[in-house]
Amino acid sequence: MSRRLLPSVRYMSSSIKMNDRPTPDALLTKIASYVHNTSIDSKLAFDTARYCLLDTLGCGLASLKYQQVQDIIKPIVPQLGQITNGCNVPGTNYTMDPINGAFAIGTTIRWLDFNDCWLASEWGHPSDNLGGILAVIDFINRSSPTAKPFVIKDVLEAMIKAHEIQGIMALDNSFNQVGLDHVILVKLATTAVVSKLIGLNEEQTVTALSHAFVDGHSLRTYRHSPNTNSRKSWAAGDATSRAVRLAYLVKNAGIGCIPSVLTTPRWGLYDTLFKGQPFKFNQRQEFKSYVMENVLFKISFPAEFHAQTAAEAAMMANKRLIALGKSANDIKSIRIRTQDAAMNIIDKSGPLYNYADRDHCIQYMIAVPLIHGRLTADDYTDEVAIKNNDIDNLRSKMFCVRDDQFTKDYYDPQKRSIANALLIELNDGTMLDEIIVEYPIGHKFRRDEGIPLLMSKFENHIKERFGDSKQAQRILQFSTDDDFENLPVHKYIDEYVMK
């Protein structure tokens, strides 16, 4: 029997690739260095972060009146909701490990689509990162009672840095264009700041960030027709929870770095998802505190941000109709002049199947104020939508047109407007003057007008959850105290426990 010759050693070796370990990708080291080495000295950033913290906590409390959010955050094993020295989930009596706590807090924060917003090439809600930040800090304070506790200022600094990472990444990089959801940036930003909070060094933070990039990423389909779904309301909770888990895996198990997670040929993120194109940083090259200083607050309406000015314009139109002795029933047509982003995200006709469908439909968010002179979270429920045929009837009379100047101003870093304009024609042929709103009340250009309303929003959320009680009064007193930044975090969160 003849013998088959083995391939020659020379032939075999020609297919072997060198396994030299590369240095970590530059973006990983840049983010880690920012988190560990950059001091935040902007008073504007800290002042804005304080308002952001209060507003975000209030939004979380407001969500808890809805049964579905309560069902989503409750632990699968009941005992896991009553862990000794666990982090508290504000507005509940849960004490959880920081991973499940981050999911619960992050989910309540995002549920009503009422927390802050950042709009650029990518969209998102930087305060979603508070889910991980607050869960970790509260847990560390309670589980290490002899150590120097984290204070509110530490939360604010972590928020500023998480906002910056998420927001700067979003300026020139569109994840939605490749079908990914923006919560990838929540996972990245939370991983970065939480790594430092739990005691990782700069090199370990690089490792954690590499896993945040390689970890499974959410498809964006649940935010868009025809698949709009309530997942959009807990996706950020999931992302911030995953971030906390990754940071602790580095700390507890020493999981190794994936140094060229972005740049390695074929298998890296750039080649796999971005056609070989690296991330861009054209508008801002450095991380500091720009995003927190310019963040957008949602003050007037729990609605997708590209429709905030449209809803405000609709409220103004409602008053005009009343002054004319008319109502929404007298409307023949409505032209909505808007930005490109709104056209892509919330321009929607046809049936709306759930809450998530409705709060991402610009026509719905215009119809309700025109009919009722309001737009609240309850207005997206089946009880309101299904029982009111007038809403869908009015929606059918609307059409969107893309405005190039609105789109240009939307991307202009000196403006960052979110303009909408309504042109209403009545059945009798009367054309009302077009109503244009360029900047929502939560925009930096309207801070003086917006902050008192933001604090009123916070107070309303506190009293809605805790009533006009001594507990509510203590929360409001702590929150407005001059020494608030020096308050131990767990002492403040104690006030939010549901008795």
Side-chain angles (χ1 to χ4, degrees), residues 310-381:
E312 187 173 344
M315 293 287 286
M316 296 165 66
N318 172 266
K319 293 179 180 179
R320 285 191 188 179
L321 290 171
I322 292 173
L324 292 171
K326 305 286 186 178
S327 72
N329 292 327
D330 295 301
I331 294 175
K332 179 181 180 181
S333 69
I334 303 174
R335 186 191 72 185
I336 307 167
R337 196 155 54 96
T338 191
Q339 350 86 34
D340 182 71
M343 296 284 291
N344 290 333
I345 304 172
I346 53 177
D347 179 16
K348 192 181 297 182
S349 60
L352 301 174
Y353 295 98
N354 51 48
Y355 185 112
D357 231 359
R358 297 172 194 126
D359 79 349
H360 270 55
C361 172
I362 191 170
Q363 291 86 354
Y364 191 94
M365 292 180 277
I366 290 171
V368 172
L370 279 171
I371 295 169
H372 299 294
R374 66 165 197 264
L375 182 60
T376 70
D378 288 341
D379 287 318
Y380 301 114
T381 62

Side-chain angles (χ1 to χ4, degrees), residues 96-273:
M96 295 180 167
D97 69 89
I99 295 171
N100 285 309
F103 176 83
I105 297 170
T107 296
T108 61
I109 287 169
R110 185 85 280 276
W111 190 260
L112 294 180
D113 204 354
F114 212 179
N115 58 328
D116 70 1
C117 191
W118 185 250
L119 305 177
S121 294
E122 186 56 69
W123 317 294
H125 309 273
S127 62
D128 291 344
N129 295 289
L130 183 63
I133 294 167
L134 194 61
V136 166
I137 285 181
D138 193 35
F139 172 74
I140 292 174
N141 276 8
R142 295 179 193 280
S143 58
S144 307
T146 60
K148 181 181 178 181
F150 286 105
V151 296
I152 294 295
K153 187 173 183 179
D154 296 314
V155 174
L156 302 183
E157 181 173 338
M159 290 178 68
I160 292 168
K161 290 187 174 182
H163 271 60
E164 189 75 355
I165 295 165
Q166 180 173 345
I168 296 300
M169 288 288 296
L171 284 178
D172 301 298
N173 301 291
S174 178
F175 294 82
N176 60 78
Q177 288 297 315
V178 297
L180 296 181
D181 193 30
H182 60 252
V183 295
I184 182 178
L185 297 181
V186 175
K187 180 169 51 178
L188 179 70
T190 298
T191 299
V193 296
V194 163
S195 293
K196 183 183 179 184
L197 292 173
I198 68 173
L200 299 189
N201 60 32
E202 194 171 334
E203 182 180 356
Q204 291 171 312
T205 299
V206 169
T207 295
L209 289 169
S210 74
H211 283 274
F213 271 122
V214 84
D215 199 20
H217 306 308
S218 297
L219 298 180
R220 194 180 164 81
T221 186
Y222 51 78
R223 296 191 190 275
H224 296 277
S225 174
N227 294 310
T228 314
N229 182 272
S230 65
R231 183 180 177 120
K232 74 180 185 61
S233 297
W234 56 263
D238 180 58
T240 195
S241 174
R242 286 172 178 265
V244 174
R245 181 183 294 278
L246 291 173
Y248 272 105
L249 282 174
V250 174
K251 180 175 183 177
N252 296 338
I255 59 174
C257 187
I258 308 166
S260 58
V261 60
L262 301 175
T263 60
T264 193
R266 185 179 180 185
W267 308 116
L269 185 139
Y270 291 155
D271 274 5
T272 302
L273 296 173

Side-chain angles (χ1 to χ4, degrees), residues 16 64 102 107 188 206 225 323 328 342 386 388 429 445 461 464 491 495:
I16 295 175
L64 289 165
T107 296
L188 179 70
V206 169
S225 174
I386 294 175
N388 194 335
F445 289 176
H461 286 158
E464 185 178 56
K491 296 294 185 184
E495 301 298 331

